[in-house]
Amino acid sequence: MIKYKISLITLSAILLFILYQALLPVEIIGVHKPGKTLAVVIVKNFPLTRVGKISWWKQHQRQLQEKHPFINSPENHIILFLQTEYKKDSGTDQDSDLLCFKDMPGDVNCVSKENRPLLIWHYPDGHTEYETENFFQRFLRHF
């Protein structure tokens, strides 16, 4: 009976967490153009599922393009979404995986490249591919 209650509480907590994450609006922290063919979008509260990520992009693509015209420019072939916060590069080996942006003033202008929930590839022939990473892939990578 106790195992049943513990399982029920655990399952309820997981479902509440997923519901909570699904109801949070996506927040765009920043948009950068670090290279000729790359745009980087820093987000918070990105959808958890592949379908949710791609549909969010399709619904908000025009809004992003209005504010940042380089997002869907012909020479931009990759749009990388990173779910992270800005950090300061301390210059150590631990910070070697950081992506720093020269278009930002100050020292807190770098982000970790680890949590990439969505990567969009636009090919010159017109087709688009989506690469997604979910919560469980990120979790399992640490084992």
Side-chain angles (χ1 to χ4, degrees), residues 14 17-18 25 30 32-34 38 51 56 60 65 67 71 81 87 92 101 103 108 110 114 122 128 138 140-141:
I14 291 170
F17 173 76
I18 291 171
H32 304 279
K33 179 91 171 132
L38 172 68
V51 172
W56 181 90
H60 295 86
Q65 188 173 4
K67 293 181 182 177
I71 291 244
F81 285 82
K87 302 176 182 181
T92 63
F101 304 107
D103 63 342
V108 185
C110 301
E114 281 191 14
H122 292 294
T128 301
R138 278 185 274 129
L140 292 175
R141 193 178 331 139

Side-chain angles (χ1 to χ4, degrees), residues 30-41 64-79 103 122:
V31 179
H32 304 279
K33 179 91 171 132
K36 183 177 180 185
T37 62
L38 172 68
V40 178
V41 182
L64 277 169
Q65 188 173 4
E66 287 173 7
K67 293 181 182 177
H68 311 281
F70 59 83
I71 291 244
N72 278 337
S73 65
E75 68 272 352
N76 190 32
H77 303 296
I78 303 167
I79 302 171
D103 63 342
H122 292 294

